[in-house]
């Protein structure tokens, strides 16, 4: 019952999280596009302090957008802020982190073969990881390095790659990915809360006092929102990565993540340049080539257990015992693995009878060979059992 209830909470918050995230990232993309597409306004607009304008058509009408160089002469009655999208995405993400990875720490966060932890130790490390990573970014963004775009980008990338490595030492493979995601999400929400919002408030107060706002506020807010913009693609990858165990369960899962952060951040650069009128498709080509190269390198470095020659094959009964202990805790009509009880057999695969196991042995060999299954090796299948099961299936 409790697992069933948690499953609904999980569904609700995931749904909410995705909707809020779409609104946040959609607005972020839209405003970057807007900024980069602004044109030189006519003189009468310039006289009012407008620095750029733009026309668009969407839905049923024409839109005329004007951006002030500094601020309007007087405050408008209604001013729309964009902050709740960010806060809601972060809050719902944190709730999910708790429901899935902290309540279910034994199945999803802790990997005893890497580090033996109690549930509370794992939670403490998880929160500590996010808090420290966040603090490092906040310090970095206040150093003069922030004015050097390229250098800052490289330092930030190196820091995220290092964080991915640290997370990989502490947590299960999936837990590591999601913590890097939570860290990036926290940096982004923090950029809104600690950087962009205070700058915007200062801008608004200056306009209310009838003074010209200090341009440094606008510039700092813009810088932080540009960082957010580069982080969106890596973050969205991490959000969907738990459907792709070939990434996180790779032997060097942290390096795969670092490579994807680099490639997707780099691809985002193409769009940011294009919005500024610089069309450099070579960036996208390079990003695509890097992605294909990554896929190739990953395929060659994946641990694959091959059927051994002249192996003494275990009996059917022994094989089914291994399957029961390592696979059927999840792959049963009524799973018993904590966190999986409510959802039915994963991917519709039930591995309780020898007939079904033999019937789908090709697929089973594949997922067992690559280490994709048991998922995150939550049932702690040993290498010996893996070899035995593969040999047994190959003999059928
Ligand atoms: C902790 C729970 C768990 C355990 C243990 C587990 N699996 Fe899975 N399995 C899953 C989940 C969840 C999916 C769906 C994966 C997805 O959608 O990414 C899955 C999917 C599969 C699939 C379908 C893959 C596909 O591409 O459609 C096969 C086959 C499979 N598992 C076989 C096994 C075998 C064999 C074992 C034991 C060696 C095993 N599983 C152990 C949770 C588990």
């Amino acid at each position: 019952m409790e697992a069933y209830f948690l499953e609904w909470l999980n569904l609700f918050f995931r749904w909410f999280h995705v909707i809020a995230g779409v609104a946040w990232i959609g607005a972020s993309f839209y405003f970057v596009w807007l900024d980069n597409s602004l044109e030189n306004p006519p003189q009468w607009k310039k006289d009012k302090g407008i620095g750029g304008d733009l026309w668009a058509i969407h839905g049923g009408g024409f839109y005329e957008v004007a951006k002030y160089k500094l601020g309007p002469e007087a405050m408008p009655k209604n001013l729309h802020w964009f902050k709740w999208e960010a806060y809601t995405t972060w809050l719902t993400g944190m709730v999910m982190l708790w429901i899935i990875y902290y309540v279910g720490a034994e199945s999803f966060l802790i990997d005893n073969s890497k580090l033996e932890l109690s549930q509370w130790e794992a939670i403490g490390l998880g929160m500590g990881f996010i808090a420290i990573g966040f603090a490092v970014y906040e310090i970095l963004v206040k150093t003069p390095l922030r004015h050097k775009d390229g250098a800052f980008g490289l330092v930030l990338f190196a820091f995220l790659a290092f964080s991915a490595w640290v997370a990989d030492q502490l947590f299960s493979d999936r837990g590591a990915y999601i913590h890097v995601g939570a860290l990036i999400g926290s940096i982004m929400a923090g950029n809104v809360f600690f950087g962009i919002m205070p700058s915007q408030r200062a801008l608004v107060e200056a306009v209310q006092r009838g003074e010209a706002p200090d341009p440094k506020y606008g510039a700092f807010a813009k810088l932080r929102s540009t960082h957010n913009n580069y982080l969106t693609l890596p973050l969205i990858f991490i959000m969907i990565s738990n459907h792709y165990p070939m990434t996180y369960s790779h032997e060097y899962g942290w390096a795969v993540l670092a490579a994807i952060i680099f490639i997707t951040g780099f691809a985002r650069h193409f769009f940011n340049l294009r919005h500024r009128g610089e069309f450099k498709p070579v960036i996208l080509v390079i990003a695509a080539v890097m992605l294909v190269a990554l896929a190739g390198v990953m395929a060659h470095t994946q641990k694959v257990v091959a059927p051994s020659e002249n192996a003494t094959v275990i009996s059917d009964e022994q094989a089914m015992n291994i399957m029961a202990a390592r696979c059927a805790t999840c792959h049963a009509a009524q799973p018993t693995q904590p966190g999986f009880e409510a959802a039915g057999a994963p991917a519709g695969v039930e591995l309780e009878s020898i007939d079904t196991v033999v019937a789908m042995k090709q697929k089973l060999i594949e997922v067992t060979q690559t280490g994709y299954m048991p998922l995150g090796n939550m049932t702690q299948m040993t290498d010996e059992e893996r070899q035995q099961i593969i040999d047994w299936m190959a003999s059928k």
Side-chain angles (χ1 to χ4, degrees):
M1 191 60 210
E2 192 199 309
Y4 181 72
F5 178 65
L6 273 180
E7 195 69 5
W8 270 102
L9 273 186
N10 176 334
L11 169 61
F12 174 78
F13 280 105
R14 188 180 300 260
W15 203 347
F16 197 175
H17 183 62
V18 170
I19 295 168
V22 167
W24 178 15
I25 292 175
S28 159
F29 279 12
Y30 173 70
F31 277 99
V32 169
W33 171 84
L34 203 61
D35 252 346
N36 293 328
S37 312
L38 290 172
E39 286 164 29
N40 202 10
Q43 192 57 42
W44 68 269
K45 283 190 183 173
K46 281 187 187 156
D47 294 343
K48 288 174 64 183
I50 291 172
D53 75 346
L54 167 152
W55 287 83
I57 185 162
H58 188 79
F62 290 94
Y63 294 79
E64 181 183 10
V65 184
K67 180 178 179 183
Y68 284 81
K69 252 206 194 99
L70 291 171
E73 282 162 21
M75 254 353 249
K77 208 160 85 224
N78 274 327
L79 182 67
H80 298 281
W81 299 69
F82 291 81
K83 57 180 175 185
W84 278 106
E85 295 88 342
Y87 301 162
T88 318
T89 310
W90 186 79
L91 289 170
T92 48
M94 281 294 145
V95 172
M96 283 213 310
L97 186 66
W98 275 89
I99 311 182
I100 302 172
Y101 290 88
Y102 291 173
V103 173
E106 308 282 340
S107 345
F108 288 107
L109 186 57
I110 301 169
D111 180 344
N112 283 324
S113 69
K114 291 188 191 173
L115 195 61
E116 292 204 13
L117 295 170
S118 71
Q119 182 174 17
W120 282 107
E121 284 167 349
I123 295 175
L125 279 178
M127 303 298 311
F129 173 86
I130 298 170
I132 293 173
F134 176 75
V136 170
Y137 173 81
E138 280 298 315
I139 292 169
L140 271 182
V141 81
K142 288 184 182 99
T143 63
L145 188 67
R146 69 167 183 271
H147 300 301
K148 300 202 168 63
D149 292 348
F152 190 92
L154 282 181
V155 170
L156 185 58
F157 164 71
F159 168 64
L160 290 176
F162 175 69
S163 306
W165 178 81
V166 172
D168 194 38
Q169 310 306 305
L170 302 176
F171 309 121
S172 71
D173 298 344
R174 260 180 80 168
Y177 267 43
I178 216 67
H179 273 84
V180 176
L183 169 59
I184 295 181
S186 300
I187 288 174
M188 290 172 64
N191 272 333
V192 176
F193 190 82
F194 294 108
I196 298 170
M197 281 301 131
S199 296
Q200 291 183 348
R201 263 181 239 116
L203 281 177
V204 167
E205 279 159 20
V207 172
Q208 276 165 343
R209 283 195 304 268
E211 295 166 9
D214 186 334
K216 82 169 186 219
Y217 291 116
F220 197 35
K222 181 85 198 105
L223 179 81
R224 285 193 184 245
S225 84
T226 307
H227 291 173
N228 276 4
N229 186 261
Y230 280 100
L231 292 173
T232 46
L233 296 190
L235 182 64
I236 295 174
F237 161 73
I238 299 174
M239 287 170 79
I240 58 174
S241 69
N242 68 15
H243 296 291
Y244 303 96
M246 63 190 180
T247 55
Y248 63 77
S249 71
H250 188 275
E251 191 171 359
Y252 298 102
W254 68 271
V256 170
L257 179 54
I260 291 181
I261 291 176
F262 184 84
I263 295 170
T264 50
F266 186 61
R268 185 69 215 158
H269 192 53
F270 163 80
F271 295 98
N272 287 344
L273 284 182
R274 194 183 61 169
H275 294 328
R276 245 179 276 149
E278 286 176 56
F279 184 62
K280 290 200 178 145
V282 66
I283 294 183
L284 273 193
V285 174
I286 295 173
V289 169
M290 286 195 289
L291 202 59
V292 172
L294 175 67
V297 171
M298 279 169 66
H300 281 97
T301 49
Q302 188 70 267
K303 307 177 270 199
V304 172
V305 186
S308 39
E309 285 174 32
N310 312 320
T312 25
V313 175
I314 53 174
S315 71
D316 290 358
E317 198 191 339
Q318 285 171 312
M320 289 312 290
N321 282 342
I322 297 177
M323 300 292 290
R326 309 302 186 200
C327 310
T329 51
C330 293
H331 290 285
Q334 182 55 61
T336 50
Q337 182 78 22
F340 288 85
E341 302 101 322
V349 176
E350 282 181 29
L351 300 172
E352 290 174 294
S353 88
I354 187 161
D355 294 341
T356 24
V357 169
V358 173
M360 57 184 306
K361 65 173 189 177
Q362 222 34 58
K363 182 90 206 168
L364 300 185
I365 291 176
E366 183 192 318
V367 297
T368 317
Q369 263 183 338
T370 53
Y372 171 19
M373 288 291 144
L375 194 66
N377 204 7
M378 280 178 209
T379 46
Q380 279 143 30
M381 182 178 230
T382 63
D383 292 346
E384 193 191 0
E385 286 169 336
R386 206 178 282 281
Q387 188 70 60
Q388 287 172 333
I389 279 287
I390 291 169
D391 289 339
W392 174 76
M393 285 196 265
S395 76
K396 284 286 152 190

